[in-house]
Amino acid sequence: MTSQHPLARALNQTYRTDRPVTSSATKPATGTVAGLLRDISSVGTDTRRGGYSRPVFSTAETDLRSWFIEQAGGRGLDVTTDNNGIIWAWWDTATGTRRDAVVTGSHLDSVPGGGEYDGPLGVASALVAVDILKNRGIRPRRPLAIAVFPEEEGSRFGVACLGSRLLTGALDPNKARNLKDADGNTYADVAAANGQDPRFIGADHKTLQRLGLFVELHVEQGRGLIDLRRPVAIGSSILGHGRWKLSVRGQGNHAGTTLMKDRKDPMIAAAKIMIGIRDTARNYKDARATVGRLQPVPGGTNVIASRVDMWIDVRHPRDEVTAALVESIHLNAQVIAAEERCTVTFDVESVSPTVHFDSGLRDQLQALIPGAPVLDTGAGHDAGVLAVHIPTAMLFVRNPTGISHSPEELVEDHDAEAGAKALADVLEGLLGESRMTG
C-alpha cells in the first residue's frame, strides 16, 4: 500500500487495525483453521457496530491481504496479484505449467459490522487444506491455486463480487473505475492510492484459461446444517439477486418554519416505500427484499431532507420473479412518492441470475465426501460469478447460530477443522494426485 498518498492516509485513519497482523516470518503457521482465524481476530474490529468492518482497500483489508501472502509464501506457494487485485497462490506441478488448475479460496473483506467467518473461513481453510495435502505426501498432477477475491461483499463500492466480475468481464471496467464510496472517492482513485493501476482492470482471459474448476468453502449463512445436524454440506445453487438504488426527491426546508401541510418530505415517502417493499415481497413465495441502507440528504436533525437514498436487495430462485418483484417495487414507489408530492429515480447497481452449480462437479464432491447433504443458498458468492465460465462448486460449514452478516455469526472449532478436511479430501480427488514415496 502506498502509505504516503493523502487518500491512503485518510483511509488508514478511517479503518483502524487494533494491532499488526502476526507475521508468518516470525511465527510459524498454526496448521489449524481456528488458529489462523485467531491470528487475525483483532484485525478490523468495529467498536461502534460490533463485529468486523473490513471494506476493500481499508487498512484492515490490506493487512489481511498481507497476512495471506505471508501465510501462502510460508507454505511454498508462488503468490501473485493480478490487475484486478485478485491474489493467486500457486502450488505448481513438476512441469510448472499453469492450465486446467484446481482453484479454491474466498474473500477477506466484510460487510459493515459483519461476522468473523464470512470470507476468512474459506481462505484459512484453503491454507490448512494445503497443509493436510502436504502432510499426506500429495504431489499434484494438476496445479492448485488459492484465490482471494477483493470486494466480494460490495460494501464499499456497491457492486458485489467486484473482483470476480472484473476478471470474467461481467462488469465494465469504465463503470468500475467511476464507482464511488460513501465519501465520494472513486474506485480508480482508491485503487491507485493502494498500489493498483486502475487502467488495467477488466476481463482477464489469460487467467481464466488457466482455471479448470473452482471450489469455494464458506460459512453457511442459514440454518440448513443445524437442522440436519451435519458439519459440512455441498452447495447446489445460489438464488438470483440484485441491488437497486432508489432515490426519493422532495423539497429541503426548515424543520421549524415549514408547516406540515406545506411539506414535500421525501423521508415520509421513503418510510412508506420501505413498508411497501416488505408487503410486496410477501406476495411472492420464496422472495426476499431488504432495505439495509438509508441515507437522507443533507441529514440534519432540524432539516427536512431534500433527498433520501435507499438501497434495495431483492432475491428469488426464479429470475423472472425477481424481475416482476422489482418492477412492482418501482411502480409502488412512484405512486407513494407522488402522494407526498415527491419524485422517484430507480437505478440498478448489480444483478446476478440464479446459479446452478455444475452437476458433474457436484457429483464428484458427493463421491469424495460421502453422506454430505446438498443445500442451496440465498447468499451470493464469487463461485456464482465464475460458474458462467468454469465448473464451480461450494462447501458450506455449519453455523450454529444460523445468523450471518452479524457479529453473532459463528463456526465452532471442530466444525472448522472438519470443513478443512472435507476441502482437502475434495482437492485431493480433483488434483489427479500421486503420493510421494521414500
Side-chain angles (χ1 to χ4, degrees), residues 355-393:
V355 172
H356 297 279
F357 292 121
D358 184 86
S359 59
L361 181 55
R362 186 177 66 242
D363 290 345
Q364 287 182 276
L365 265 62
Q366 287 183 280
L368 292 166
I369 42 177
V374 178
L375 298 174
D376 63 14
T377 179
H381 301 281
D382 292 303
V385 176
L386 293 173
V388 178
H389 300 270
I390 60 173
T392 63

Short mmCIF file of all heavy atoms in Angstrom, two decimals, residues 355-393:
data_model
loop_
_atom_site.label_atom_id
_atom_site.label_comp_id
_atom_site.label_asym_id
_atom_site.label_seq_id
_atom_site.Cartn_x
_atom_site.Cartn_y
_atom_site.Cartn_z
N VAL A 355 -27.93 -19.27 -10.03
CA VAL A 355 -26.82 -20.11 -10.49
C VAL A 355 -27.05 -21.53 -9.98
O VAL A 355 -27.27 -21.75 -8.79
CB VAL A 355 -25.47 -19.59 -9.96
CG1 VAL A 355 -24.35 -20.59 -10.27
CG2 VAL A 355 -25.16 -18.23 -10.55
N HIS A 356 -27.00 -22.49 -10.89
CA HIS A 356 -27.00 -23.90 -10.52
C HIS A 356 -25.58 -24.42 -10.74
O HIS A 356 -25.07 -24.39 -11.86
CB HIS A 356 -28.01 -24.68 -11.37
CG HIS A 356 -29.42 -24.23 -11.15
ND1 HIS A 356 -30.18 -24.65 -10.08
CD2 HIS A 356 -30.20 -23.38 -11.86
CE1 HIS A 356 -31.38 -24.09 -10.14
NE2 HIS A 356 -31.42 -23.31 -11.20
N PHE A 357 -24.96 -24.87 -9.66
CA PHE A 357 -23.57 -25.32 -9.77
C PHE A 357 -23.48 -26.55 -10.68
O PHE A 357 -24.43 -27.32 -10.82
CB PHE A 357 -23.00 -25.62 -8.39
CG PHE A 357 -22.84 -24.41 -7.52
CD1 PHE A 357 -23.49 -24.30 -6.31
CD2 PHE A 357 -22.05 -23.35 -7.94
CE1 PHE A 357 -23.36 -23.18 -5.52
CE2 PHE A 357 -21.90 -22.21 -7.15
CZ PHE A 357 -22.56 -22.13 -5.94
N ASP A 358 -22.30 -26.72 -11.28
CA ASP A 358 -22.07 -27.80 -12.23
C ASP A 358 -22.43 -29.16 -11.62
O ASP A 358 -21.88 -29.55 -10.58
CB ASP A 358 -20.60 -27.78 -12.65
CG ASP A 358 -20.29 -28.79 -13.71
OD1 ASP A 358 -20.45 -28.47 -14.89
OD2 ASP A 358 -19.88 -29.92 -13.35
N SER A 359 -23.35 -29.85 -12.26
CA SER A 359 -23.87 -31.11 -11.69
C SER A 359 -22.80 -32.20 -11.67
O SER A 359 -22.73 -32.99 -10.72
CB SER A 359 -25.09 -31.59 -12.47
OG SER A 359 -24.77 -31.79 -13.84
N GLY A 360 -21.95 -32.23 -12.71
CA GLY A 360 -20.90 -33.24 -12.72
C GLY A 360 -19.90 -33.04 -11.60
O GLY A 360 -19.48 -34.00 -10.94
N LEU A 361 -19.51 -31.77 -11.37
CA LEU A 361 -18.58 -31.48 -10.28
C LEU A 361 -19.24 -31.76 -8.94
O LEU A 361 -18.60 -32.29 -8.01
CB LEU A 361 -18.12 -30.03 -10.37
CG LEU A 361 -17.11 -29.55 -9.33
CD1 LEU A 361 -15.88 -30.43 -9.29
CD2 LEU A 361 -16.73 -28.09 -9.59
N ARG A 362 -20.52 -31.41 -8.81
CA ARG A 362 -21.24 -31.71 -7.57
C ARG A 362 -21.27 -33.21 -7.29
O ARG A 362 -21.08 -33.65 -6.16
CB ARG A 362 -22.66 -31.16 -7.64
CG ARG A 362 -23.43 -31.31 -6.32
CD ARG A 362 -24.81 -30.70 -6.40
NE ARG A 362 -25.67 -31.40 -7.34
CZ ARG A 362 -26.20 -30.88 -8.42
NH1 ARG A 362 -25.95 -29.64 -8.77
NH2 ARG A 362 -26.98 -31.61 -9.22
N ASP A 363 -21.47 -34.01 -8.33
CA ASP A 363 -21.46 -35.47 -8.15
C ASP A 363 -20.09 -35.94 -7.68
O ASP A 363 -20.00 -36.86 -6.84
CB ASP A 363 -21.83 -36.16 -9.46
CG ASP A 363 -23.29 -35.96 -9.85
OD1 ASP A 363 -24.08 -35.54 -8.98
OD2 ASP A 363 -23.62 -36.22 -11.02
N GLN A 364 -19.02 -35.36 -8.21
CA GLN A 364 -17.68 -35.71 -7.76
C GLN A 364 -17.50 -35.39 -6.28
O GLN A 364 -16.93 -36.20 -5.53
CB GLN A 364 -16.63 -34.98 -8.58
CG GLN A 364 -16.44 -35.49 -9.99
CD GLN A 364 -15.35 -34.74 -10.72
OE1 GLN A 364 -15.58 -33.67 -11.30
NE2 GLN A 364 -14.15 -35.28 -10.70
N LEU A 365 -17.98 -34.23 -5.86
CA LEU A 365 -17.86 -33.85 -4.45
C LEU A 365 -18.63 -34.82 -3.56
O LEU A 365 -18.16 -35.20 -2.47
CB LEU A 365 -18.35 -32.42 -4.23
CG LEU A 365 -17.27 -31.33 -4.26
CD1 LEU A 365 -16.57 -31.27 -5.62
CD2 LEU A 365 -17.85 -29.97 -3.90
N GLN A 366 -19.81 -35.23 -3.99
CA GLN A 366 -20.60 -36.17 -3.20
C GLN A 366 -19.88 -37.51 -3.06
O GLN A 366 -19.98 -38.15 -2.01
CB GLN A 366 -21.98 -36.36 -3.84
CG GLN A 366 -22.90 -35.17 -3.67
CD GLN A 366 -24.27 -35.43 -4.25
OE1 GLN A 366 -24.48 -35.34 -5.46
NE2 GLN A 366 -25.21 -35.75 -3.39
N ALA A 367 -19.16 -37.91 -4.10
CA ALA A 367 -18.41 -39.17 -4.01
C ALA A 367 -17.19 -39.03 -3.11
O ALA A 367 -16.79 -39.99 -2.43
CB ALA A 367 -17.97 -39.60 -5.42
N LEU A 368 -16.61 -37.83 -3.08
CA LEU A 368 -15.39 -37.61 -2.29
C LEU A 368 -15.68 -37.37 -0.82
O LEU A 368 -14.82 -37.61 0.04
CB LEU A 368 -14.61 -36.43 -2.88
CG LEU A 368 -14.01 -36.68 -4.27
CD1 LEU A 368 -13.56 -35.38 -4.91
CD2 LEU A 368 -12.84 -37.66 -4.17
N ILE A 369 -16.86 -36.83 -0.49
CA ILE A 369 -17.26 -36.66 0.92
C ILE A 369 -18.63 -37.31 1.10
O ILE A 369 -19.65 -36.62 1.15
CB ILE A 369 -17.24 -35.18 1.36
CG1 ILE A 369 -17.84 -34.25 0.29
CG2 ILE A 369 -15.84 -34.73 1.70
CD1 ILE A 369 -17.90 -32.79 0.74
N PRO A 370 -18.64 -38.64 1.19
CA PRO A 370 -19.90 -39.38 1.24
C PRO A 370 -20.78 -38.93 2.41
O PRO A 370 -20.29 -38.68 3.51
CB PRO A 370 -19.45 -40.84 1.42
CG PRO A 370 -18.04 -40.86 0.94
CD PRO A 370 -17.47 -39.52 1.25
N GLY A 371 -22.06 -38.85 2.14
CA GLY A 371 -23.02 -38.52 3.19
C GLY A 371 -23.24 -37.03 3.40
O GLY A 371 -24.13 -36.64 4.16
N ALA A 372 -22.45 -36.19 2.72
CA ALA A 372 -22.64 -34.75 2.88
C ALA A 372 -23.95 -34.34 2.22
O ALA A 372 -24.20 -34.68 1.06
CB ALA A 372 -21.48 -33.98 2.27
N PRO A 373 -24.82 -33.62 2.93
CA PRO A 373 -26.08 -33.18 2.32
C PRO A 373 -25.84 -32.11 1.26
O PRO A 373 -24.76 -31.50 1.20
CB PRO A 373 -26.86 -32.61 3.51
CG PRO A 373 -25.81 -32.20 4.49
CD PRO A 373 -24.68 -33.16 4.32
N VAL A 374 -26.84 -31.88 0.43
CA VAL A 374 -26.77 -30.87 -0.62
C VAL A 374 -27.78 -29.78 -0.30
O VAL A 374 -28.96 -30.06 -0.08
CB VAL A 374 -27.07 -31.49 -2.01
CG1 VAL A 374 -27.05 -30.41 -3.08
CG2 VAL A 374 -26.05 -32.58 -2.33
N LEU A 375 -27.31 -28.53 -0.27
CA LEU A 375 -28.16 -27.39 0.10
C LEU A 375 -28.00 -26.27 -0.90
O LEU A 375 -26.91 -26.07 -1.47
CB LEU A 375 -27.76 -26.87 1.50
CG LEU A 375 -27.90 -27.81 2.69
CD1 LEU A 375 -27.31 -27.14 3.93
CD2 LEU A 375 -29.35 -28.17 2.92
N ASP A 376 -29.06 -25.50 -1.10
CA ASP A 376 -28.93 -24.26 -1.85
C ASP A 376 -28.66 -23.11 -0.89
O ASP A 376 -28.64 -23.30 0.33
CB ASP A 376 -30.17 -23.98 -2.70
CG ASP A 376 -31.43 -23.78 -1.87
OD1 ASP A 376 -31.32 -23.60 -0.64
OD2 ASP A 376 -32.53 -23.79 -2.45
N THR A 377 -28.42 -21.93 -1.42
CA THR A 377 -28.14 -20.77 -0.57
C THR A 377 -28.76 -19.52 -1.16
O THR A 377 -28.88 -19.39 -2.39
CB THR A 377 -26.62 -20.55 -0.41
OG1 THR A 377 -26.39 -19.40 0.42
CG2 THR A 377 -25.94 -20.32 -1.74
N GLY A 378 -29.16 -18.63 -0.29
CA GLY A 378 -29.68 -17.34 -0.72
C GLY A 378 -28.62 -16.26 -0.77
O GLY A 378 -28.94 -15.11 -1.07
N ALA A 379 -27.37 -16.62 -0.48
CA ALA A 379 -26.28 -15.65 -0.45
C ALA A 379 -25.46 -15.73 -1.73
O ALA A 379 -25.22 -16.82 -2.25
CB ALA A 379 -25.38 -15.89 0.76
N GLY A 380 -25.00 -14.60 -2.23
CA GLY A 380 -24.16 -14.56 -3.42
C GLY A 380 -22.70 -14.84 -3.09
O GLY A 380 -22.23 -14.59 -1.97
N HIS A 381 -21.96 -15.36 -4.08
CA HIS A 381 -20.56 -15.72 -3.88
C HIS A 381 -19.81 -15.57 -5.20
O HIS A 381 -20.40 -15.63 -6.29
CB HIS A 381 -20.42 -17.16 -3.39
CG HIS A 381 -21.12 -17.44 -2.10
ND1 HIS A 381 -20.60 -17.08 -0.88
CD2 HIS A 381 -22.32 -18.02 -1.85
CE1 HIS A 381 -21.44 -17.44 0.08
NE2 HIS A 381 -22.49 -18.01 -0.48
N ASP A 382 -18.48 -15.44 -5.11
CA ASP A 382 -17.66 -15.41 -6.31
C ASP A 382 -17.82 -16.67 -7.14
O ASP A 382 -17.72 -16.63 -8.37
CB ASP A 382 -16.19 -15.21 -5.94
CG ASP A 382 -15.92 -13.82 -5.36
OD1 ASP A 382 -16.23 -12.82 -6.05
OD2 ASP A 382 -15.41 -13.74 -4.24
N ALA A 383 -18.08 -17.81 -6.48
CA ALA A 383 -18.31 -19.05 -7.22
C ALA A 383 -19.46 -18.92 -8.19
O ALA A 383 -19.47 -19.54 -9.26
CB ALA A 383 -18.57 -20.20 -6.24
N GLY A 384 -20.46 -18.13 -7.84
CA GLY A 384 -21.59 -17.92 -8.73
C GLY A 384 -21.22 -17.14 -9.97
O GLY A 384 -21.73 -17.39 -11.06
N VAL A 385 -20.33 -16.16 -9.82
CA VAL A 385 -19.88 -15.37 -10.97
C VAL A 385 -19.02 -16.23 -11.90
O VAL A 385 -19.18 -16.20 -13.13
CB VAL A 385 -19.09 -14.13 -10.50
CG1 VAL A 385 -18.54 -13.35 -11.68
CG2 VAL A 385 -19.98 -13.24 -9.64
N LEU A 386 -18.12 -17.02 -11.32
CA LEU A 386 -17.23 -17.85 -12.13
C LEU A 386 -17.97 -18.98 -12.82
O LEU A 386 -17.49 -19.53 -13.82
CB LEU A 386 -16.13 -18.43 -11.24
CG LEU A 386 -15.12 -17.43 -10.67
CD1 LEU A 386 -14.19 -18.12 -9.68
CD2 LEU A 386 -14.32 -16.77 -11.77
N ALA A 387 -19.16 -19.36 -12.30
CA ALA A 387 -19.89 -20.52 -12.82
C ALA A 387 -20.26 -20.37 -14.29
O ALA A 387 -20.49 -21.38 -14.98
CB ALA A 387 -21.15 -20.75 -11.99
N VAL A 388 -20.34 -19.16 -14.79
CA VAL A 388 -20.66 -18.93 -16.21
C VAL A 388 -19.51 -19.40 -17.10
O VAL A 388 -19.72 -19.73 -18.27
CB VAL A 388 -20.96 -17.44 -16.46
CG1 VAL A 388 -21.25 -17.17 -17.92
CG2 VAL A 388 -22.13 -16.99 -15.59
N HIS A 389 -18.30 -19.48 -16.55
CA HIS A 389 -17.11 -19.71 -17.36
C HIS A 389 -16.44 -21.05 -17.09
O HIS A 389 -15.83 -21.63 -18.00
CB HIS A 389 -16.10 -18.58 -17.12
CG HIS A 389 -16.65 -17.24 -17.48
ND1 HIS A 389 -16.52 -16.70 -18.74
CD2 HIS A 389 -17.36 -16.33 -16.75
CE1 HIS A 389 -17.12 -15.51 -18.78
NE2 HIS A 389 -17.62 -15.26 -17.58
N ILE A 390 -16.48 -21.53 -15.85
CA ILE A 390 -15.84 -22.80 -15.50
C ILE A 390 -16.75 -23.55 -14.53
O ILE A 390 -17.60 -22.95 -13.87
CB ILE A 390 -14.45 -22.59 -14.84
CG1 ILE A 390 -14.59 -21.75 -13.56
CG2 ILE A 390 -13.47 -21.96 -15.82
CD1 ILE A 390 -13.29 -21.63 -12.77
N PRO A 391 -16.59 -24.88 -14.41
CA PRO A 391 -17.36 -25.61 -13.40
C PRO A 391 -17.01 -25.10 -12.00
O PRO A 391 -15.84 -24.93 -11.66
CB PRO A 391 -16.91 -27.06 -13.58
CG PRO A 391 -16.37 -27.12 -14.98
CD PRO A 391 -15.76 -25.79 -15.23
N THR A 392 -18.03 -24.84 -11.20
CA THR A 392 -17.82 -24.39 -9.83
C THR A 392 -18.66 -25.21 -8.86
O THR A 392 -19.66 -25.83 -9.24
CB THR A 392 -18.17 -22.89 -9.64
OG1 THR A 392 -19.56 -22.71 -9.90
CG2 THR A 392 -17.37 -22.02 -10.58
N ALA A 393 -18.23 -25.20 -7.61
CA ALA A 393 -18.94 -25.91 -6.54
C ALA A 393 -18.69 -25.17 -5.24
O ALA A 393 -17.78 -24.33 -5.15
CB ALA A 393 -18.47 -27.36 -6.44
#
